[in-house]
Amino acid sequence: MATIPCENCSGQYPYTQLSQPLEISCMLLLIMLGKVFLDFFMLQVKQKKVEVSFMGYFCVSLALLDFILLMSISFIFYFEDFALWGVRFTKYHICLFTQIISLTYGILHYPVYLVAGLDYYMTIAQTSQFPKRGQRLLYVFAVVVIWISGFFCILKVPAIYEELEIWNRFSPYQCPLYASVQSYSVSCAMVLLIGMAVLACQKEVTTMLLSVRVVSFASQPVLMFSSVSNNNGTCFKWQLLTRLLICFLGTWAPFVLLQIIILFLGARIPAYMEMNVPWLYFINSFLIGVAYWCRRHDVELTEEMWSTDPFVSWKFCFMPFNNENTEPSDKPGRVIVIC
Protein backbone atom coordinates (compact mmCIF):
# COMPACT_ATOMS: atom_id res chain seq x y z
CA MET A 1 0.00 0.00 0.00
CA ALA A 2 1.44 3.34 -1.02
CA THR A 3 1.94 6.01 1.54
CA ILE A 4 -0.22 9.06 0.97
CA PRO A 5 1.69 12.29 1.65
CA CYS A 6 0.00 14.50 4.17
CA GLU A 7 0.56 18.06 3.03
CA ASN A 8 -2.24 19.94 4.77
CA CYS A 9 -2.81 17.56 7.66
CA SER A 10 -2.85 19.18 11.08
CA GLY A 11 -3.18 16.10 13.23
CA GLN A 12 0.22 16.49 14.90
CA TYR A 13 0.32 20.29 15.02
CA PRO A 14 -2.56 20.78 17.46
CA TYR A 15 -1.06 18.10 19.70
CA THR A 16 2.22 20.01 19.85
CA GLN A 17 0.45 23.27 20.64
CA LEU A 18 -1.87 21.77 23.23
CA SER A 19 1.08 20.32 25.09
CA GLN A 20 2.46 23.81 25.66
CA PRO A 21 -0.40 25.04 27.89
CA LEU A 22 0.00 21.83 29.88
CA GLU A 23 3.69 22.56 30.45
CA ILE A 24 2.94 26.18 31.32
CA SER A 25 0.25 25.10 33.78
CA CYS A 26 2.64 22.68 35.46
CA MET A 27 5.30 25.37 35.75
CA LEU A 28 2.89 27.94 37.23
CA LEU A 29 1.56 25.33 39.66
CA LEU A 30 5.04 24.40 40.88
CA ILE A 31 6.12 28.03 41.20
CA MET A 32 3.04 28.94 43.22
CA LEU A 33 3.52 25.88 45.41
CA GLY A 34 7.06 26.97 46.22
CA LYS A 35 5.99 30.55 46.82
CA VAL A 36 3.17 29.58 49.19
CA PHE A 37 5.54 27.34 51.13
CA LEU A 38 8.07 30.19 51.41
CA ASP A 39 5.37 32.67 52.50
CA PHE A 40 4.07 30.52 55.34
CA PHE A 41 7.60 29.50 56.33
CA MET A 42 8.55 33.16 56.81
CA LEU A 43 5.38 33.80 58.78
CA GLN A 44 6.27 30.93 61.10
CA VAL A 45 9.96 31.69 61.69
CA LYS A 46 9.45 35.37 62.52
CA GLN A 47 9.61 36.59 66.10
CA LYS A 48 6.30 36.10 67.84
CA LYS A 49 6.38 39.01 70.29
CA VAL A 50 6.09 41.98 67.95
CA GLU A 51 3.75 44.94 67.88
CA VAL A 52 0.92 44.94 65.37
CA SER A 53 1.56 46.88 62.17
CA PHE A 54 0.01 47.43 58.78
CA MET A 55 2.80 45.54 57.03
CA GLY A 56 2.27 42.52 59.27
CA TYR A 57 -1.41 42.33 58.33
CA PHE A 58 -0.63 42.84 54.66
CA CYS A 59 1.92 40.00 54.69
CA VAL A 60 -0.73 37.66 56.12
CA SER A 61 -3.24 38.75 53.48
CA LEU A 62 -0.68 38.20 50.71
CA ALA A 63 0.07 34.68 51.95
CA LEU A 64 -3.66 33.89 52.05
CA LEU A 65 -4.24 35.26 48.56
CA ASP A 66 -1.33 33.22 47.19
CA PHE A 67 -2.81 30.14 48.85
CA ILE A 68 -6.21 30.84 47.27
CA LEU A 69 -4.57 31.22 43.85
CA LEU A 70 -2.69 27.95 44.36
CA MET A 71 -5.88 26.10 45.28
CA SER A 72 -7.71 27.59 42.28
CA ILE A 73 -5.12 26.64 39.67
CA SER A 74 -4.67 23.21 41.30
CA PHE A 75 -8.41 22.57 41.02
CA ILE A 76 -8.45 23.67 37.38
CA PHE A 77 -5.31 21.68 36.59
CA TYR A 78 -6.81 18.52 38.08
CA PHE A 79 -10.27 18.69 36.44
CA GLU A 80 -8.96 20.36 33.23
CA ASP A 81 -12.37 21.31 31.80
CA PHE A 82 -15.46 21.87 33.94
CA ALA A 83 -18.33 24.28 34.54
CA LEU A 84 -19.00 26.01 37.84
CA TRP A 85 -21.88 28.43 38.49
CA GLY A 86 -22.51 28.62 34.76
CA VAL A 87 -18.89 29.49 33.92
CA ARG A 88 -16.68 27.10 32.00
CA PHE A 89 -13.13 26.79 33.32
CA THR A 90 -10.22 25.38 31.30
CA LYS A 91 -6.44 25.43 31.56
CA TYR A 92 -6.56 28.84 29.89
CA HIS A 93 -7.89 30.26 33.17
CA ILE A 94 -4.75 29.17 35.01
CA CYS A 95 -2.80 31.66 32.94
CA LEU A 96 -5.58 34.26 33.08
CA PHE A 97 -5.83 34.19 36.88
CA THR A 98 -2.05 34.40 37.20
CA GLN A 99 -1.97 37.36 34.82
CA ILE A 100 -4.65 39.20 36.82
CA ILE A 101 -2.75 38.53 40.06
CA SER A 102 0.51 39.72 38.46
CA LEU A 103 -1.06 42.95 37.27
CA THR A 104 -2.64 43.56 40.68
CA TYR A 105 0.57 42.83 42.60
CA GLY A 106 2.51 45.06 40.22
CA ILE A 107 0.54 48.22 40.99
CA LEU A 108 0.39 47.79 44.77
CA HIS A 109 4.04 48.38 45.67
CA TYR A 110 3.82 52.17 45.96
CA PRO A 111 0.57 52.35 47.99
CA VAL A 112 1.59 49.52 50.35
CA TYR A 113 5.01 50.99 51.09
CA LEU A 114 3.55 54.49 51.47
CA VAL A 115 0.94 53.35 53.99
CA ALA A 116 3.49 51.22 55.89
CA GLY A 117 5.97 54.11 55.99
CA LEU A 118 3.33 56.53 57.30
CA ASP A 119 2.28 53.93 59.88
CA TYR A 120 5.79 53.65 61.28
CA TYR A 121 6.41 57.38 61.08
CA MET A 122 3.27 58.10 63.11
CA THR A 123 3.62 55.30 65.66
CA ILE A 124 7.39 55.13 66.13
CA ALA A 125 7.36 58.01 68.61
CA GLN A 126 3.98 57.04 70.09
CA THR A 127 2.44 60.26 68.81
CA SER A 128 -0.89 58.55 68.20
CA GLN A 129 -2.42 56.32 70.83
CA PHE A 130 -4.98 53.88 69.48
CA PRO A 131 -6.69 51.14 71.44
CA LYS A 132 -5.30 47.77 70.37
CA ARG A 133 -8.63 46.64 68.95
CA GLY A 134 -9.19 49.91 67.12
CA GLN A 135 -5.67 49.78 65.69
CA ARG A 136 -6.17 46.24 64.43
CA LEU A 137 -9.49 47.15 62.81
CA LEU A 138 -7.85 50.13 61.13
CA TYR A 139 -5.11 47.92 59.69
CA VAL A 140 -7.61 45.33 58.47
CA PHE A 141 -9.69 48.07 56.84
CA ALA A 142 -6.61 49.53 55.12
CA VAL A 143 -5.55 46.11 53.80
CA VAL A 144 -9.03 45.35 52.44
CA VAL A 145 -9.29 48.77 50.77
CA ILE A 146 -5.89 48.36 49.09
CA TRP A 147 -6.72 44.91 47.71
CA ILE A 148 -10.17 45.96 46.47
CA SER A 149 -8.73 49.09 44.86
CA GLY A 150 -6.01 47.06 43.15
CA PHE A 151 -8.38 44.48 41.68
CA PHE A 152 -10.84 47.21 40.69
CA CYS A 153 -8.15 49.09 38.75
CA ILE A 154 -7.06 45.95 36.91
CA LEU A 155 -10.52 44.65 36.04
CA LYS A 156 -12.22 47.96 35.31
CA VAL A 157 -9.58 50.12 33.63
CA PRO A 158 -10.10 49.66 29.85
CA ALA A 159 -6.44 50.15 28.90
CA ILE A 160 -5.23 47.37 31.16
CA TYR A 161 -8.03 45.04 30.09
CA GLU A 162 -7.25 45.67 26.41
CA GLU A 163 -3.56 44.99 27.03
CA LEU A 164 -4.45 41.70 28.68
CA GLU A 165 -6.58 40.72 25.67
CA ILE A 166 -3.72 41.58 23.29
CA TRP A 167 -1.32 39.39 25.26
CA ASN A 168 -3.60 36.39 25.05
CA ARG A 169 -4.56 37.01 21.42
CA PHE A 170 -1.01 37.08 20.07
CA SER A 171 0.37 34.48 22.49
CA PRO A 172 -2.44 31.92 22.80
CA TYR A 173 -0.07 29.08 23.66
CA GLN A 174 2.16 31.04 25.98
CA CYS A 175 1.49 32.90 29.19
CA PRO A 176 3.09 36.36 29.10
CA LEU A 177 3.26 37.77 32.61
CA TYR A 178 3.67 41.32 33.84
CA ALA A 179 6.92 42.52 35.43
CA SER A 180 6.33 45.39 37.83
CA VAL A 181 7.98 48.72 37.07
CA GLN A 182 7.17 49.88 40.60
CA SER A 183 9.11 47.02 42.17
CA TYR A 184 12.09 47.68 39.90
CA SER A 185 12.16 51.39 40.80
CA VAL A 186 11.80 50.65 44.52
CA SER A 187 14.67 48.18 44.35
CA CYS A 188 16.86 50.73 42.55
CA ALA A 189 16.01 53.42 45.11
CA MET A 190 16.74 51.14 48.06
CA VAL A 191 20.11 50.00 46.70
CA LEU A 192 21.02 53.62 45.94
CA LEU A 193 20.03 54.87 49.40
CA ILE A 194 21.82 52.02 51.20
CA GLY A 195 24.94 52.64 49.11
CA MET A 196 24.87 56.37 49.87
CA ALA A 197 24.38 55.68 53.60
CA VAL A 198 27.32 53.24 53.64
CA LEU A 199 29.55 55.77 51.87
CA ALA A 200 28.47 58.56 54.23
CA CYS A 201 29.23 56.42 57.31
CA GLN A 202 32.18 54.53 55.86
CA LYS A 203 34.61 55.61 58.55
CA GLU A 204 32.22 54.90 61.44
CA VAL A 205 31.15 51.54 60.01
CA THR A 206 34.78 50.44 59.50
CA THR A 207 35.75 51.47 63.04
CA MET A 208 32.81 49.64 64.61
CA LEU A 209 33.28 46.49 62.55
CA LEU A 210 36.99 46.30 63.42
CA SER A 211 36.13 46.47 67.13
CA VAL A 212 33.26 43.95 67.09
CA ARG A 213 33.16 41.21 69.71
CA VAL A 214 30.55 38.55 70.39
CA VAL A 215 29.62 38.39 74.09
CA SER A 216 26.78 37.05 76.20
CA PHE A 217 24.41 39.51 77.81
CA ALA A 218 21.25 38.51 79.70
CA SER A 219 21.60 34.97 78.31
CA GLN A 220 21.55 36.30 74.74
CA PRO A 221 24.36 36.54 72.19
CA VAL A 222 25.11 40.18 71.46
CA LEU A 223 27.61 42.15 69.43
CA MET A 224 29.78 44.68 71.25
CA PHE A 225 31.18 47.62 69.32
CA SER A 226 33.40 50.55 70.25
CA SER A 227 31.59 53.84 70.06
CA VAL A 228 32.57 57.39 71.04
CA SER A 229 29.82 59.10 73.01
CA ASN A 230 29.07 62.55 71.63
CA ASN A 231 26.14 64.80 72.43
CA ASN A 232 26.60 66.89 69.31
CA GLY A 233 23.48 66.68 67.16
CA THR A 234 25.34 66.18 63.87
CA CYS A 235 27.62 63.49 65.28
CA PHE A 236 24.69 61.74 66.90
CA LYS A 237 22.86 61.68 63.56
CA TRP A 238 25.69 59.86 61.79
CA GLN A 239 26.37 57.55 64.74
CA LEU A 240 22.72 56.52 64.81
CA LEU A 241 22.73 55.96 61.04
CA THR A 242 25.80 53.74 61.43
CA ARG A 243 24.10 51.62 64.09
CA LEU A 244 20.94 51.30 62.03
CA LEU A 245 22.98 50.24 59.00
CA ILE A 246 24.80 47.55 60.98
CA CYS A 247 21.53 46.21 62.39
CA PHE A 248 19.84 46.20 58.97
CA LEU A 249 22.74 44.76 56.96
CA GLY A 250 23.52 42.26 59.68
CA THR A 251 20.23 40.57 58.86
CA TRP A 252 19.49 41.47 55.23
CA ALA A 253 22.96 41.72 53.61
CA PRO A 254 22.37 38.61 51.41
CA PHE A 255 19.08 40.10 50.23
CA VAL A 256 20.75 43.43 49.41
CA LEU A 257 23.43 41.57 47.44
CA LEU A 258 20.71 39.66 45.59
CA GLN A 259 19.01 42.92 44.62
CA ILE A 260 22.30 44.32 43.31
CA ILE A 261 22.84 41.19 41.18
CA ILE A 262 19.29 41.33 39.79
CA LEU A 263 19.63 45.01 38.91
CA PHE A 264 23.07 44.47 37.36
CA LEU A 265 21.81 41.62 35.19
CA GLY A 266 18.63 43.51 34.29
CA ALA A 267 16.46 40.51 35.16
CA ARG A 268 12.73 41.17 35.12
CA ILE A 269 10.89 38.93 37.54
CA PRO A 270 7.12 38.41 37.05
CA ALA A 271 5.09 40.43 39.53
CA TYR A 272 3.27 37.44 41.00
CA MET A 273 6.66 36.04 42.08
CA GLU A 274 8.32 39.30 43.02
CA MET A 275 5.81 40.39 45.65
CA ASN A 276 6.29 37.81 48.38
CA VAL A 277 6.49 37.74 52.15
CA PRO A 278 10.34 37.74 52.39
CA TRP A 279 10.50 40.76 50.09
CA LEU A 280 7.86 42.60 52.15
CA TYR A 281 9.71 41.90 55.40
CA PHE A 282 12.89 43.20 53.76
CA ILE A 283 11.08 46.41 52.83
CA ASN A 284 9.53 46.46 56.31
CA SER A 285 12.94 46.53 58.01
CA PHE A 286 14.12 49.26 55.67
CA LEU A 287 11.06 51.41 56.41
CA ILE A 288 11.49 50.94 60.17
CA GLY A 289 15.12 52.06 59.99
CA VAL A 290 14.20 55.09 57.88
CA ALA A 291 11.33 56.04 60.19
CA TYR A 292 13.50 55.78 63.29
CA TRP A 293 16.25 57.88 61.76
CA CYS A 294 13.75 60.53 60.60
CA ARG A 295 12.15 60.69 64.08
CA ARG A 296 15.45 60.50 65.98
CA HIS A 297 14.75 63.79 67.79
CA ASP A 298 11.34 62.58 68.99
CA VAL A 299 12.37 59.12 70.20
CA GLU A 300 14.50 58.57 73.25
CA LEU A 301 17.26 56.02 72.73
CA THR A 302 16.51 53.72 75.64
CA GLU A 303 17.85 50.27 76.42
CA GLU A 304 14.91 48.57 74.74
CA MET A 305 13.53 49.95 71.54
CA TRP A 306 10.09 49.23 70.15
CA SER A 307 9.48 45.69 68.94
CA THR A 308 7.88 45.94 65.51
CA ASP A 309 10.34 44.18 63.24
CA PRO A 310 9.93 40.39 63.22
CA PHE A 311 13.50 39.77 62.03
CA VAL A 312 15.81 42.68 62.91
CA SER A 313 16.46 43.60 66.53
CA TRP A 314 16.90 47.35 66.79
CA LYS A 315 17.59 47.36 70.55
CA PHE A 316 20.68 49.18 71.79
CA CYS A 317 22.18 48.73 75.26
CA PHE A 318 24.87 51.19 76.32
CA MET A 319 27.66 50.37 78.75
CA PRO A 320 30.42 52.80 79.74
CA PHE A 321 34.01 51.71 79.12
CA ASN A 322 35.53 50.57 82.41
CA ASN A 323 39.24 49.94 82.76
CA GLU A 324 41.21 50.30 85.96
CA ASN A 325 44.39 51.30 84.16
CA THR A 326 42.81 53.93 81.93
CA GLU A 327 40.58 56.90 82.62
CA PRO A 328 37.11 56.64 81.13
CA SER A 329 37.48 59.93 79.31
CA ASP A 330 40.45 58.63 77.33
CA LYS A 331 38.62 55.63 75.94
CA PRO A 332 35.52 55.37 73.82
CA GLY A 333 32.30 54.11 75.29
CA ARG A 334 30.73 50.78 74.39
CA VAL A 335 27.49 50.20 72.60
CA ILE A 336 25.92 46.77 72.49
CA VAL A 337 23.72 45.99 69.53
CA ILE A 338 21.53 42.99 70.30
CA CYS A 339 21.04 40.91 67.15
Side-chain angles (χ1 to χ4, degrees), residues 255-269:
F255 218 88
V256 175
L257 180 61
L258 178 62
Q259 296 304 309
I260 295 175
I261 294 174
I262 291 175
L263 293 176
F264 179 77
L265 296 177
R268 303 304 300 271
I269 303 174

Side-chain angles (χ1 to χ4, degrees), residues 296-314:
R296 60 188 176 274
H297 299 297
D298 302 322
V299 181
E300 294 184 2
L301 202 61
T302 58
E303 289 187 358
E304 189 166 329
M305 216 170 118
W306 78 100
S307 180
T308 306
D309 198 322
F311 290 95
V312 180
S313 178
W314 304 91

Side-chain angles (χ1 to χ4, degrees), residues 170-183:
F170 289 97
S171 302
Y173 298 104
Q174 298 179 5
C175 188
L177 296 172
Y178 174 73
S180 175
V181 178
Q182 292 186 9
S183 176

Side-chain angles (χ1 to χ4, degrees), residues 52-62 132 135-137 139-140 143 147:
V52 296
S53 65
F54 166 80
M55 187 63 86
Y57 277 81
F58 189 82
C59 287
V60 174
S61 69
L62 177 66
K132 287 296 182 180
Q135 192 174 13
R136 293 174 186 273
L137 291 176
Y139 290 150
V140 171
V143 168
W147 281 120

